[in-house]
Amino acid sequence: MNNSTLSCPKCGSTSLYKNGHDKYGNQQFLCKLCHHSFKLSHSHKPKNFPFPYPICPSCSKSKVFV
């Protein structure tokens, strides 16, 4: 991140709240004036396991259990 001040992409206001994180761990912000929610980055979380998921013996598909 650079030294510039964060501003709302919708209205340009610098009055912002930190508004938690998305499911990938990216910081979300909420504008105090127009209530627009946004985030700075759009990275995706890597897989939990470095190996392929097991294959079902009956249907031969790999299943992801969450």
Side-chain angles (χ1 to χ4, degrees):
M1 182 190 262
N2 54 19
N3 291 333
S4 65
T5 305
L6 287 175
S7 62
C8 175
K10 186 174 180 183
C11 71
S13 172
T14 57
S15 299
L16 305 172
Y17 285 117
K18 284 187 176 179
N19 193 28
H21 294 85
D22 67 3
K23 67 180 182 178
Y24 299 112
N26 299 316
Q27 180 70 57
Q28 292 181 325
F29 297 93
L30 180 67
C31 179
K32 292 180 183 180
L33 296 179
C34 69
H35 304 288
H36 178 69
S37 180
F38 65 97
K39 53 192 160 200
L40 298 178
S41 62
H42 298 281
S43 63
H44 293 284
K45 196 174 185 179
K47 282 185 172 181
N48 291 335
F49 304 106
F51 52 86
Y53 290 101
I55 296 175
C56 176
S58 61
C59 66
S60 300
K61 293 182 181 179
S62 66
K63 298 282 185 176
V64 178
F65 298 101
V66 180

